[in-house]
């Protein structure tokens, strides 16, 4: 399997600029052979402005960026892409637009069969997994399904957040929400990627990168912490 | 219109017990004529345990509680109900179960036509509105629609949370999420009910109760704060 993925928890860390914290990883990931990256801006409302920001950043890293919303035929744009980057925003809006534009199958085919490198950030990381059922976003639009592109056999919770011991707020903690997900039958593992962390997938090898730990939730078992640098390849088998 | 609703932001405030903070309002709302309340525990996984907790509380307030999950025919239980209480938990799970059990129309009819008093807490407040599109919950199951019971012509965000100025977390604030909702066309007002607040609806009159302010979001306009005690009846007209 040629699969190559860079699944980033969040596009911006506190006090930094857009994709600054992972720019070294982005450059290593796409490498010198990719010249032009196809950007998917569907998660934000203002696609032009979003594209401008992403284009500036990728230009500074040496890559041309074409946005799929500027393409006459989005499916054809995926078919011809050398690399794909799906940015963050609202996950429901993103997934609905992917369905509306019939892009899920084509992205899946290009990444899994043709080895086109796929980078996702936040919502773009959610849609790379089995489903968007562990997004943090509001369901502002109704997609035809929560099933996503399915480039990995588990789910991710981006922007994973530890409980604040001083909080007086009574809404569920992130861990409680994921536990509720695992009360449902046959739900997959959920990797909680804290801000600053990302998952690099190369074939069947998965490695945690970045500066923070990740927390893995498996149905019926206690959560487990993994340090940056951990080999998480065991997640890549379906039998989790 | 006979409509009577008590839409509570949250079932428990920090340091208190289940429904303690609103028990006086609950008693005033259901009054002495209602003897038995129909409870809907669908938002939590363990319906028996949830019913036990709610039954203890309502018993202490002088009401018998029948849970719809204990009824042989849930639709018939709604048809015969004197009062309805839908508790909190996961809003997607709750709404899906309401659809699965074909309860939405019957609850709507009983409340709007027969004047059966309806109390909701958290997720139970979400499903009383136009849609669940402004819930805070994870989409752990896929309901057939986000459209809800529609007892009021606007949406509510329960557990409304102000941004923490000291936070370094980069996930969207609650206000940013609601703003994203309002980027979508023809989206209704969203009433952000902070923990400790609730909305009392009697016919076409709506009053903010409780101990905290509420924040109203209208598409294309700046948000507005309302003190406890405010008359929010203007929300009850469809032309918001």
């Amino acid at each position: 399997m040629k699969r190559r993925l860079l699944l980033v928890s969040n596009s911006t860390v506190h006090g930094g600029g857009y994709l600054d914290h992972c720019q070294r990883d982005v450059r290593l990931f796409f490498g010198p052979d990719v010249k032009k990256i196809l950007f998917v801006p569907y998660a934000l409302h203002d696609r032009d402005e979003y594209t401008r920001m992403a284009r500036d950043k990728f230009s500074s890293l040496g890559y041309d960026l074409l946005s799929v919303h500027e393409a006459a035929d989005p499916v054809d744009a995926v078919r011809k892409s050398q690399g794909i980057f799906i940015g963050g925003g609202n996950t429901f809006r993103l997934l609905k637009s992917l369905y509306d534009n019939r892009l899920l199958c084509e992205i899946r085919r290009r990444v899994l069969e043709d080895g086109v490198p796929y980078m996702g950030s936040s919502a773009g990381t959610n849609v790379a997994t089995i489903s968007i059922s562990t997004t943090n976003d509001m369901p502002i639009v109704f997609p035809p399904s929560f099933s996503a592109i399915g480039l990995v056999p588990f789910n991710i919770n981006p922007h994973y957040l530890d409980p604040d011991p001083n909080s007086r707020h009574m809404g569920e903690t992130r861990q409680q929400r994921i536990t509720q997900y695992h009360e449902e039958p046959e739900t997959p593992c959920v990797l909680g990627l804290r801000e600053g962390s990302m998952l690099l997938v190369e074939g069947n090898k998965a490695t945690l990168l970045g500066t923070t730990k990740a927390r893995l939730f498996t149905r019926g078992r206690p959560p487990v912490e993994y340090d940056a640098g951990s080999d998480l390849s065991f997640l890549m088998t379906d039998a989790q």
Side-chain angles (χ1 to χ4, degrees), chain A residues 35-55:
Chain A
K35 305 293 179 202
K36 188 171 247 175
I37 289 167
L38 183 67
F39 178 54
V40 178
Y42 294 156
L44 288 189
H45 180 67
D46 189 339
R47 296 172 174 184
D48 292 335
E49 176 53 34
Y50 198 9
T51 298
R52 200 158 20 241
M53 181 173 70
R55 185 168 278 145

Side-chain angles (χ1 to χ4, degrees), chain A residues 67-123:
Chain A
S67 177
V68 74
H69 87 289
E70 298 167 332
D73 181 341
V75 174
D76 191 57
V78 172
R79 218 168 266 149
K80 292 176 177 155
S81 59
Q82 301 170 18
I84 296 169
F85 169 44
I86 303 193
N90 183 283
T91 313
F92 294 87
R93 180 190 273 156
L94 168 59
L95 186 64
K96 182 173 187 302
S97 294
L98 289 172
Y99 274 108
D100 289 349
N101 289 284
R102 301 169 185 277
L103 294 188
L104 280 97
C105 287
E106 194 58 30
I107 294 174
R108 188 179 155 86
R109 196 188 65 72
R110 289 291 281 150
V111 175
L112 297 188
E113 294 178 21
D114 299 344
V116 168
Y118 175 106
M119 172 178 164
S121 166
S122 193

